[in-house]
Amino acid sequence: MSKNCFTVFLLFSVLIARGQRVLTVQADEKKFEISPTMWGVFFEDINFAADGGLYAEMIKNRSFEFPTPMMGWHEVRSSYQKGRYVVVNRSDGSANEKYLDIIINRADGDYKIINDGFRGIAVRKNEKYAFSILAQSIKGDIKLKLNVLNARGQIIAEAKVPAFQKEWQSYKTSFITSDTTQNGRFQLTFEGSGEINIDMVSLFPYDTWKGRPGGLRKDIVEKIAALKPGFIRFPGGCIVEGKDLANRYQWKNTVGNTVDRRLIMNRWNKEFTNRPAPDYYQSFGLGFFEYFLLAEDLGAAPLPILNCGMACQFNSGEVVALGELDPYIQDALDLIEFANGDISTKWGSLRNQMGHPVKFNLQYLGIGNEQWEPQYIERYAIFEKTLLTKYPYLKIVSGAGPYPQGDYFDYAWKELRKLNPSLIDEHYYKPPAWFFENVNRYDNYPRKGPKVFAGEYAAHSKEGAVPESRNNWESALAEAAFMTGLERNADIVRMCSYAPLLAHVDAWQWRPDLIWFDNLKTMTTPNYLVQKMYSTNRGTHTLSITEDGKNISGQNGLFSSAVADTIEKTIIIKIVNNSSKTQILSVQLKGSPETSGEMQWQTIASDDLSAFNQLNELDKIIVHTSFKKIVKNICDWSVPAYSFTIGKIATK
């Protein structure tokens, strides 16, 4: 035995005698390149994620296009003779067919309509809000007064629109609030006598994401941006499929002027009988242009998912005949032109008219969501052949169905391997135990052929009455462990996203969810913190981290992965301790130039696996930062029970 080998042998003997577990990082052998799209976000309009959430519009049913045209509105009047409204339907086939005709009969008229917003109108004290309305004066002289009312009915903001013209026009004004309210209402008071038509009643905060008028809710986007996502998948999810094909998501109805975007029922409107949402519709103020723009803002690759001629197989199961699939394929071709086409093309020209002459550089496109069996494979094959013939650079994402195993899953992989799509989308909604048990899921996947898109995953733990309760520490810890396996197999797994992303605490249909919000605040869950720790510590290449020459995948409750970042010149180690005891570890950097100094550690830990954050109690589960010494490539530390820790080492 050489002198150096004998020294290493003695060192390991001492560490074992002290009860330490020795983890070895092979720092000089980069295994797999990690895709820039490794960690991203999946957006679906569920849980009021778009209207009432990310899209900052505060008025519900602003254009009276709901099937019940006054849903979200109610009138205040002393008598029928004083004032009344009529809902007028043009029935001309336009996207915005309905408007409100208001008649006031008396000169001292004072007729009011009130909007309840999305579970209330919420404003902050001393902040500015932008109001707009489409209106047409028919006769008389009617003026409009605007008020925000707090929960007690007190006025906390006021503005006026003094006069209206005979032709349809847009009118705008603004106001600053004198107080904060969470559950207020917005009141329109029509003064004078006469008749007026109104449409597109709109209220936005001035302080939107990037200050864009009619834009996105700033605090929600900031939470998404903090994840530094490598991609954004949109618009879903089951939203893409629709309950039937008439209710499917059609991207062309979501671009152009907002007034011309055709509203449809959100398919989560009545999906769950225990969580009915009869007022859940899609205005498409947040449409494909805004999705692309958001991806660009965040430096994320856009990943749109399109309908493949199939409605949700859990609902109607409706499909388009194979011979009638052309319009669906044309929609896909036109979308690529909208994103990447020259401004001289039809759809590139529309992008330019919307204010974005620069191409969006679309590289990924998903065909179908959670479809299965031959009817999906047949339709997918036709899409793939047509799209790749015209756009050979395109990376097409197909799907393995709604489950992570079973007949649907096995059949999809078998058939899709013959077609060789760029990525196959796998979904896992399982109890925490499943995630711990499947950490090694991808260790033995074939290394050739389609790559994996872990497109929807969330550990479904026990739940309580509190909406946020299912996002507990047990679920987040299980996901952290599972993600060590995703990261270790970065040559196979190229894209990953938790799902769903957003949920309104007063209007949810599904849980758990990554970010919870109400009309004023947002909240990060333990699951969000885990996702952020991975996505902001992605690295560029995987490294081997072993104990006794084996991957660390559950031995005595320990899970681990390691990466190198050749840009920042760091080594990043991720450790999950799922045991009830503190574990004493010694991490050895093998093959690295001698490194000494401080090593940064970020840790989330809780002995209470059922603990979760709430909007009114945000700090039960948080990240703690500390520093440990590393001496001659060795760092010793104690990993708390039920914890997730990331250590970052600067290397020469």
Side-chain angles (χ1 to χ4, degrees), residues 34-42 209 220-232 294-301 496-497 501 514-515 528-539 565 568 572 602 648:
I34 300 170
S35 170
T37 61
M38 183 67 177
W39 308 111
V41 293
F42 160 67
W209 169 252
I220 294 180
V221 179
E222 286 175 341
K223 290 290 191 301
I224 300 171
L227 293 168
K228 296 185 178 178
F231 67 89
I232 297 180
L294 177 60
E296 182 180 78
D297 289 344
L298 303 185
C496 311
S497 52
L501 178 64
L514 201 62
I515 300 169
Y528 173 96
L529 299 177
V530 165
Q531 296 294 321
K532 183 179 178 183
M533 288 171 71
Y534 270 92
S535 62
T536 58
N537 293 281
R538 175 176 56 85
D565 192 317
E568 294 188 358
I572 304 165
Q602 292 181 303
K648 184 179 287 188

Short mmCIF file of all heavy atoms in Angstrom, two decimals, residues 34-42 209 220-232 294-301 496-497 501 514-515 528-539 565 568 572 602 648:
data_model
loop_
_atom_site.label_atom_id
_atom_site.label_comp_id
_atom_site.label_asym_id
_atom_site.label_seq_id
_atom_site.Cartn_x
_atom_site.Cartn_y
_atom_site.Cartn_z
N ILE A 34 -26.22 19.26 -18.05
CA ILE A 34 -27.57 19.58 -17.57
C ILE A 34 -28.19 20.60 -18.52
O ILE A 34 -27.60 21.64 -18.80
CB ILE A 34 -27.52 20.13 -16.13
CG1 ILE A 34 -26.90 19.09 -15.19
CG2 ILE A 34 -28.92 20.51 -15.65
CD1 ILE A 34 -26.60 19.63 -13.81
N SER A 35 -29.39 20.30 -18.99
CA SER A 35 -30.06 21.19 -19.93
C SER A 35 -30.41 22.52 -19.26
O SER A 35 -30.82 22.54 -18.09
CB SER A 35 -31.34 20.53 -20.44
OG SER A 35 -32.11 21.46 -21.18
N PRO A 36 -30.27 23.63 -19.98
CA PRO A 36 -30.74 24.92 -19.43
C PRO A 36 -32.23 24.92 -19.10
O PRO A 36 -32.70 25.74 -18.32
CB PRO A 36 -30.43 25.92 -20.56
CG PRO A 36 -29.37 25.26 -21.38
CD PRO A 36 -29.65 23.79 -21.30
N THR A 37 -32.96 23.98 -19.72
CA THR A 37 -34.41 23.87 -19.46
C THR A 37 -34.72 22.84 -18.38
O THR A 37 -35.87 22.41 -18.25
CB THR A 37 -35.15 23.46 -20.75
OG1 THR A 37 -34.66 22.18 -21.19
CG2 THR A 37 -34.93 24.49 -21.85
N MET A 38 -33.73 22.44 -17.60
CA MET A 38 -33.94 21.35 -16.64
C MET A 38 -35.09 21.65 -15.68
O MET A 38 -35.93 20.79 -15.43
CB MET A 38 -32.65 21.10 -15.85
CG MET A 38 -32.73 19.94 -14.87
SD MET A 38 -32.91 18.35 -15.72
CE MET A 38 -32.88 17.20 -14.37
N TRP A 39 -35.12 22.84 -15.11
CA TRP A 39 -36.15 23.19 -14.12
C TRP A 39 -36.96 24.36 -14.66
O TRP A 39 -36.43 25.44 -14.93
CB TRP A 39 -35.52 23.57 -12.78
CG TRP A 39 -34.55 22.54 -12.27
CD1 TRP A 39 -33.20 22.66 -12.15
CD2 TRP A 39 -34.86 21.20 -11.82
NE1 TRP A 39 -32.64 21.51 -11.66
CE2 TRP A 39 -33.64 20.59 -11.44
CE3 TRP A 39 -36.03 20.47 -11.70
CZ2 TRP A 39 -33.56 19.29 -10.95
CZ3 TRP A 39 -35.96 19.17 -11.22
CH2 TRP A 39 -34.75 18.59 -10.85
N GLY A 40 -38.26 24.14 -14.83
CA GLY A 40 -39.12 25.19 -15.35
C GLY A 40 -40.42 25.25 -14.59
O GLY A 40 -40.54 24.72 -13.48
N VAL A 41 -41.42 25.93 -15.16
CA VAL A 41 -42.74 26.05 -14.53
C VAL A 41 -43.82 25.66 -15.51
O VAL A 41 -43.70 25.83 -16.72
CB VAL A 41 -43.00 27.47 -13.99
CG1 VAL A 41 -42.06 27.81 -12.85
CG2 VAL A 41 -42.90 28.52 -15.09
N PHE A 42 -44.89 25.12 -14.94
CA PHE A 42 -46.05 24.68 -15.71
C PHE A 42 -47.24 25.54 -15.29
O PHE A 42 -47.66 25.51 -14.14
CB PHE A 42 -46.31 23.20 -15.41
CG PHE A 42 -47.71 22.75 -15.75
CD1 PHE A 42 -48.14 22.71 -17.06
CD2 PHE A 42 -48.59 22.34 -14.76
CE1 PHE A 42 -49.41 22.28 -17.38
CE2 PHE A 42 -49.87 21.91 -15.07
CZ PHE A 42 -50.28 21.88 -16.37
N TRP A 209 -46.70 44.06 -13.62
CA TRP A 209 -45.38 43.54 -13.99
C TRP A 209 -44.82 44.37 -15.14
O TRP A 209 -45.46 44.54 -16.16
CB TRP A 209 -45.50 42.07 -14.39
CG TRP A 209 -44.26 41.49 -15.02
CD1 TRP A 209 -44.10 41.15 -16.33
CD2 TRP A 209 -43.02 41.17 -14.36
NE1 TRP A 209 -42.86 40.63 -16.54
CE2 TRP A 209 -42.17 40.63 -15.35
CE3 TRP A 209 -42.57 41.28 -13.06
CZ2 TRP A 209 -40.87 40.21 -15.06
CZ3 TRP A 209 -41.28 40.86 -12.76
CH2 TRP A 209 -40.45 40.32 -13.75
N ILE A 220 -47.17 38.21 -8.18
CA ILE A 220 -47.19 36.81 -8.60
C ILE A 220 -46.05 36.53 -9.58
O ILE A 220 -45.34 35.53 -9.45
CB ILE A 220 -48.55 36.43 -9.20
CG1 ILE A 220 -49.64 36.50 -8.13
CG2 ILE A 220 -48.49 35.04 -9.81
CD1 ILE A 220 -51.03 36.14 -8.64
N VAL A 221 -45.87 37.41 -10.55
CA VAL A 221 -44.79 37.20 -11.52
C VAL A 221 -43.44 37.22 -10.82
O VAL A 221 -42.54 36.44 -11.16
CB VAL A 221 -44.82 38.26 -12.64
CG1 VAL A 221 -43.67 38.02 -13.62
CG2 VAL A 221 -46.14 38.22 -13.39
N GLU A 222 -43.28 38.08 -9.82
CA GLU A 222 -42.01 38.13 -9.11
C GLU A 222 -41.69 36.79 -8.44
O GLU A 222 -40.52 36.37 -8.40
CB GLU A 222 -42.03 39.25 -8.07
CG GLU A 222 -41.93 40.63 -8.69
CD GLU A 222 -42.09 41.76 -7.68
OE1 GLU A 222 -42.64 41.50 -6.58
OE2 GLU A 222 -41.69 42.90 -7.99
N LYS A 223 -42.71 36.12 -7.91
CA LYS A 223 -42.48 34.81 -7.30
C LYS A 223 -42.06 33.79 -8.37
O LYS A 223 -41.19 32.95 -8.13
CB LYS A 223 -43.75 34.33 -6.61
CG LYS A 223 -44.12 35.09 -5.35
CD LYS A 223 -43.16 34.83 -4.21
CE LYS A 223 -43.66 35.36 -2.87
NZ LYS A 223 -43.93 36.80 -2.85
N ILE A 224 -42.67 33.87 -9.54
CA ILE A 224 -42.30 32.96 -10.63
C ILE A 224 -40.89 33.28 -11.12
O ILE A 224 -40.07 32.38 -11.34
CB ILE A 224 -43.31 33.05 -11.79
CG1 ILE A 224 -44.72 32.68 -11.31
CG2 ILE A 224 -42.89 32.15 -12.95
CD1 ILE A 224 -45.81 32.94 -12.32
N ALA A 225 -40.60 34.57 -11.27
CA ALA A 225 -39.28 34.98 -11.76
C ALA A 225 -38.17 34.54 -10.82
O ALA A 225 -37.06 34.21 -11.26
CB ALA A 225 -39.25 36.50 -11.94
N ALA A 226 -38.45 34.53 -9.51
CA ALA A 226 -37.43 34.13 -8.53
C ALA A 226 -37.01 32.68 -8.69
O ALA A 226 -35.93 32.29 -8.23
CB ALA A 226 -37.95 34.37 -7.11
N LEU A 227 -37.83 31.88 -9.36
CA LEU A 227 -37.47 30.49 -9.64
C LEU A 227 -36.44 30.37 -10.77
O LEU A 227 -35.88 29.29 -10.98
CB LEU A 227 -38.72 29.68 -10.01
CG LEU A 227 -39.75 29.48 -8.90
CD1 LEU A 227 -41.05 28.92 -9.49
CD2 LEU A 227 -39.22 28.55 -7.83
N LYS A 228 -36.24 31.45 -11.52
CA LYS A 228 -35.36 31.45 -12.68
C LYS A 228 -35.67 30.26 -13.59
O LYS A 228 -34.80 29.44 -13.90
CB LYS A 228 -33.89 31.44 -12.26
CG LYS A 228 -33.46 32.69 -11.50
CD LYS A 228 -31.99 32.70 -11.19
CE LYS A 228 -31.60 33.98 -10.48
NZ LYS A 228 -30.16 34.01 -10.12
N PRO A 229 -36.91 30.15 -14.04
CA PRO A 229 -37.31 28.96 -14.81
C PRO A 229 -36.60 28.87 -16.15
O PRO A 229 -36.41 29.88 -16.84
CB PRO A 229 -38.82 29.15 -14.98
CG PRO A 229 -39.02 30.64 -14.90
CD PRO A 229 -38.00 31.13 -13.91
N GLY A 230 -36.24 27.65 -16.52
CA GLY A 230 -35.64 27.43 -17.83
C GLY A 230 -36.66 27.38 -18.94
O GLY A 230 -36.32 27.53 -20.12
N PHE A 231 -37.92 27.15 -18.59
CA PHE A 231 -38.99 27.12 -19.58
C PHE A 231 -40.31 27.46 -18.89
O PHE A 231 -40.43 27.38 -17.66
CB PHE A 231 -39.11 25.75 -20.27
CG PHE A 231 -39.56 24.64 -19.35
CD1 PHE A 231 -40.91 24.35 -19.17
CD2 PHE A 231 -38.64 23.88 -18.65
CE1 PHE A 231 -41.32 23.34 -18.32
CE2 PHE A 231 -39.04 22.86 -17.80
CZ PHE A 231 -40.39 22.59 -17.63
N ILE A 232 -41.29 27.85 -19.68
CA ILE A 232 -42.67 28.01 -19.20
C ILE A 232 -43.57 27.20 -20.12
O ILE A 232 -43.65 27.46 -21.33
CB ILE A 232 -43.11 29.48 -19.18
CG1 ILE A 232 -42.26 30.30 -18.21
CG2 ILE A 232 -44.58 29.58 -18.78
CD1 ILE A 232 -42.64 31.75 -18.14
N LEU A 294 -44.14 36.82 -21.43
CA LEU A 294 -43.68 36.48 -20.08
C LEU A 294 -42.45 35.58 -20.15
O LEU A 294 -41.48 35.77 -19.40
CB LEU A 294 -44.79 35.80 -19.30
CG LEU A 294 -44.44 35.33 -17.89
CD1 LEU A 294 -44.01 36.50 -17.01
CD2 LEU A 294 -45.62 34.59 -17.26
N ALA A 295 -42.47 34.58 -21.02
CA ALA A 295 -41.31 33.71 -21.18
C ALA A 295 -40.08 34.52 -21.56
O ALA A 295 -38.99 34.31 -21.03
CB ALA A 295 -41.60 32.63 -22.22
N GLU A 296 -40.26 35.44 -22.47
CA GLU A 296 -39.15 36.30 -22.88
C GLU A 296 -38.65 37.15 -21.72
O GLU A 296 -37.43 37.28 -21.49
CB GLU A 296 -39.60 37.20 -24.04
CG GLU A 296 -38.51 38.11 -24.58
CD GLU A 296 -39.03 38.96 -25.73
OE1 GLU A 296 -39.74 39.96 -25.46
OE2 GLU A 296 -38.74 38.63 -26.88
N ASP A 297 -39.57 37.71 -20.94
CA ASP A 297 -39.19 38.52 -19.78
C ASP A 297 -38.31 37.73 -18.82
O ASP A 297 -37.36 38.27 -18.23
CB ASP A 297 -40.43 38.98 -19.01
CG ASP A 297 -41.24 40.03 -19.75
OD1 ASP A 297 -40.71 40.63 -20.70
OD2 ASP A 297 -42.40 40.26 -19.34
N LEU A 298 -38.64 36.45 -18.63
CA LEU A 298 -37.96 35.64 -17.62
C LEU A 298 -36.77 34.88 -18.19
O LEU A 298 -36.11 34.13 -17.45
CB LEU A 298 -38.95 34.65 -17.00
CG LEU A 298 -40.20 35.26 -16.35
CD1 LEU A 298 -41.02 34.18 -15.67
CD2 LEU A 298 -39.84 36.36 -15.37
N GLY A 299 -36.49 35.05 -19.48
CA GLY A 299 -35.39 34.31 -20.09
C GLY A 299 -35.66 32.83 -20.16
O GLY A 299 -34.73 32.01 -20.13
N ALA A 300 -36.94 32.45 -20.27
CA ALA A 300 -37.34 31.05 -20.27
C ALA A 300 -37.78 30.64 -21.67
O ALA A 300 -38.35 31.44 -22.42
CB ALA A 300 -38.49 30.84 -19.28
N ALA A 301 -37.54 29.38 -22.02
CA ALA A 301 -38.01 28.87 -23.30
C ALA A 301 -39.52 28.68 -23.26
O ALA A 301 -40.04 28.07 -22.34
CB ALA A 301 -37.33 27.53 -23.60
N CYS A 496 -38.31 19.56 -16.28
CA CYS A 496 -39.09 19.17 -15.11
C CYS A 496 -39.91 20.36 -14.63
O CYS A 496 -39.42 21.49 -14.62
CB CYS A 496 -38.19 18.73 -13.95
SG CYS A 496 -36.91 17.55 -14.38
N SER A 497 -41.16 20.09 -14.19
CA SER A 497 -41.98 21.17 -13.64
C SER A 497 -43.02 20.62 -12.68
O SER A 497 -43.72 19.66 -12.99
CB SER A 497 -42.66 21.99 -14.75
OG SER A 497 -43.36 21.16 -15.64
N LEU A 501 -49.17 25.37 -10.72
CA LEU A 501 -48.32 26.46 -10.27
C LEU A 501 -49.02 27.38 -9.28
O LEU A 501 -48.43 27.75 -8.26
CB LEU A 501 -47.88 27.27 -11.50
CG LEU A 501 -47.01 28.51 -11.25
CD1 LEU A 501 -45.68 28.11 -10.64
CD2 LEU A 501 -46.80 29.28 -12.56
N LEU A 514 -48.13 25.17 -6.07
CA LEU A 514 -46.81 25.69 -5.71
C LEU A 514 -46.87 27.04 -5.01
O LEU A 514 -46.16 27.28 -4.03
CB LEU A 514 -45.94 25.79 -6.97
CG LEU A 514 -44.43 25.82 -6.72
CD1 LEU A 514 -43.95 24.54 -6.07
CD2 LEU A 514 -43.68 26.05 -8.03
N ILE A 515 -47.71 27.96 -5.53
CA ILE A 515 -47.82 29.31 -4.98
C ILE A 515 -49.29 29.57 -4.67
O ILE A 515 -50.15 29.42 -5.54
CB ILE A 515 -47.32 30.37 -5.98
CG1 ILE A 515 -45.84 30.13 -6.33
CG2 ILE A 515 -47.51 31.77 -5.43
CD1 ILE A 515 -45.35 30.97 -7.50
N TYR A 528 -42.41 25.11 -3.04
CA TYR A 528 -41.80 26.20 -3.82
C TYR A 528 -40.34 26.39 -3.41
O TYR A 528 -39.46 26.56 -4.26
CB TYR A 528 -42.59 27.49 -3.59
CG TYR A 528 -41.97 28.73 -4.20
CD1 TYR A 528 -42.37 29.19 -5.45
CD2 TYR A 528 -41.00 29.47 -3.52
CE1 TYR A 528 -41.81 30.33 -6.01
CE2 TYR A 528 -40.43 30.61 -4.07
CZ TYR A 528 -40.84 31.03 -5.31
OH TYR A 528 -40.27 32.16 -5.86
N LEU A 529 -40.08 26.37 -2.11
CA LEU A 529 -38.72 26.57 -1.63
C LEU A 529 -37.79 25.48 -2.15
O LEU A 529 -36.65 25.75 -2.54
CB LEU A 529 -38.70 26.62 -0.11
CG LEU A 529 -39.51 27.74 0.54
CD1 LEU A 529 -39.48 27.63 2.06
CD2 LEU A 529 -39.00 29.11 0.10
N VAL A 530 -38.28 24.24 -2.18
CA VAL A 530 -37.49 23.14 -2.72
C VAL A 530 -37.22 23.36 -4.21
O VAL A 530 -36.08 23.22 -4.69
CB VAL A 530 -38.21 21.79 -2.48
CG1 VAL A 530 -37.59 20.69 -3.34
CG2 VAL A 530 -38.14 21.42 -1.00
N GLN A 531 -38.27 23.70 -4.97
CA GLN A 531 -38.10 23.94 -6.40
C GLN A 531 -37.10 25.06 -6.65
O GLN A 531 -36.24 24.97 -7.54
CB GLN A 531 -39.45 24.29 -7.04
CG GLN A 531 -40.49 23.19 -7.00
CD GLN A 531 -40.13 21.98 -7.82
OE1 GLN A 531 -39.58 22.10 -8.92
NE2 GLN A 531 -40.43 20.80 -7.31
N LYS A 532 -37.18 26.10 -5.86
CA LYS A 532 -36.28 27.24 -6.04
C LYS A 532 -34.84 26.86 -5.73
O LYS A 532 -33.90 27.29 -6.42
CB LYS A 532 -36.73 28.41 -5.15
CG LYS A 532 -35.89 29.67 -5.33
CD LYS A 532 -36.39 30.79 -4.44
CE LYS A 532 -35.52 32.02 -4.58
NZ LYS A 532 -35.95 33.11 -3.66
N MET A 533 -34.64 26.06 -4.69
CA MET A 533 -33.28 25.66 -4.34
C MET A 533 -32.65 24.83 -5.46
O MET A 533 -31.45 24.92 -5.71
CB MET A 533 -33.28 24.90 -3.02
CG MET A 533 -33.53 25.83 -1.82
SD MET A 533 -33.80 24.96 -0.26
CE MET A 533 -32.16 24.34 0.10
N TYR A 534 -33.45 24.03 -6.14
CA TYR A 534 -32.93 23.30 -7.30
C TYR A 534 -32.72 24.22 -8.50
O TYR A 534 -31.66 24.20 -9.14
CB TYR A 534 -33.89 22.17 -7.69
CG TYR A 534 -33.61 20.86 -7.01
CD1 TYR A 534 -34.23 20.54 -5.81
CD2 TYR A 534 -32.71 19.94 -7.55
CE1 TYR A 534 -33.98 19.33 -5.18
CE2 TYR A 534 -32.46 18.73 -6.93
CZ TYR A 534 -33.09 18.43 -5.74
OH TYR A 534 -32.84 17.24 -5.10
N SER A 535 -33.73 25.01 -8.84
CA SER A 535 -33.67 25.77 -10.09
C SER A 535 -32.64 26.89 -10.05
O SER A 535 -32.11 27.27 -11.09
CB SER A 535 -35.05 26.35 -10.42
OG SER A 535 -35.48 27.25 -9.42
N THR A 536 -32.35 27.42 -8.87
CA THR A 536 -31.33 28.46 -8.76
C THR A 536 -29.95 27.89 -8.46
O THR A 536 -28.99 28.65 -8.31
CB THR A 536 -31.71 29.49 -7.68
OG1 THR A 536 -31.88 28.83 -6.43
CG2 THR A 536 -32.99 30.22 -8.06
N ASN A 537 -29.86 26.58 -8.38
CA ASN A 537 -28.58 25.89 -8.19
C ASN A 537 -28.49 24.74 -9.20
O ASN A 537 -28.13 23.62 -8.85
CB ASN A 537 -28.46 25.36 -6.76
CG ASN A 537 -28.36 26.46 -5.73
OD1 ASN A 537 -27.31 27.05 -5.53
ND2 ASN A 537 -29.48 26.75 -5.08
N ARG A 538 -28.81 25.06 -10.46
CA ARG A 538 -28.93 24.03 -11.50
C ARG A 538 -27.59 23.42 -11.85
O ARG A 538 -27.46 22.20 -12.01
CB ARG A 538 -29.58 24.63 -12.74
CG ARG A 538 -29.66 23.69 -13.93
CD ARG A 538 -30.41 24.34 -15.09
NE ARG A 538 -29.83 25.61 -15.49
CZ ARG A 538 -28.81 25.73 -16.34
NH1 ARG A 538 -28.25 24.65 -16.87
NH2 ARG A 538 -28.34 26.91 -16.66
N GLY A 539 -26.56 24.24 -11.98
CA GLY A 539 -25.28 23.74 -12.45
C GLY A 539 -25.28 23.46 -13.93
O GLY A 539 -26.30 23.61 -14.63
N ASP A 565 -20.86 23.66 -11.61
CA ASP A 565 -21.23 24.82 -12.41
C ASP A 565 -19.94 25.39 -12.98
O ASP A 565 -19.17 26.04 -12.28
CB ASP A 565 -21.95 25.87 -11.57
CG ASP A 565 -22.60 26.95 -12.42
OD1 ASP A 565 -21.96 27.40 -13.38
OD2 ASP A 565 -23.75 27.32 -12.13
N GLU A 568 -19.95 29.46 -12.94
CA GLU A 568 -19.67 30.09 -11.65
C GLU A 568 -18.49 29.45 -10.93
O GLU A 568 -18.06 29.95 -9.90
CB GLU A 568 -20.91 30.02 -10.76
CG GLU A 568 -22.09 30.83 -11.27
CD GLU A 568 -23.22 30.89 -10.26
OE1 GLU A 568 -23.10 30.25 -9.19
OE2 GLU A 568 -24.21 31.57 -10.56
N ILE A 572 -21.98 21.98 -6.31
CA ILE A 572 -23.22 22.13 -5.54
C ILE A 572 -23.69 20.73 -5.14
O ILE A 572 -23.86 19.86 -6.00
CB ILE A 572 -24.30 22.85 -6.36
CG1 ILE A 572 -23.78 24.21 -6.85
CG2 ILE A 572 -25.57 23.04 -5.52
CD1 ILE A 572 -24.61 24.83 -7.94
N GLN A 602 -27.59 26.02 2.58
CA GLN A 602 -28.98 26.42 2.73
C GLN A 602 -29.78 25.20 3.16
O GLN A 602 -29.68 24.15 2.54
CB GLN A 602 -29.55 26.96 1.41
CG GLN A 602 -28.95 28.28 0.97
CD GLN A 602 -29.57 28.74 -0.34
OE1 GLN A 602 -29.54 28.03 -1.34
NE2 GLN A 602 -30.13 29.93 -0.33
N LYS A 648 -22.77 24.77 -1.29
CA LYS A 648 -22.12 25.31 -2.49
C LYS A 648 -20.67 25.62 -2.16
O LYS A 648 -20.38 26.36 -1.22
CB LYS A 648 -22.85 26.57 -2.96
CG LYS A 648 -22.29 27.16 -4.26
CD LYS A 648 -23.06 28.39 -4.71
CE LYS A 648 -24.41 28.02 -5.27
NZ LYS A 648 -25.07 29.19 -5.89
#
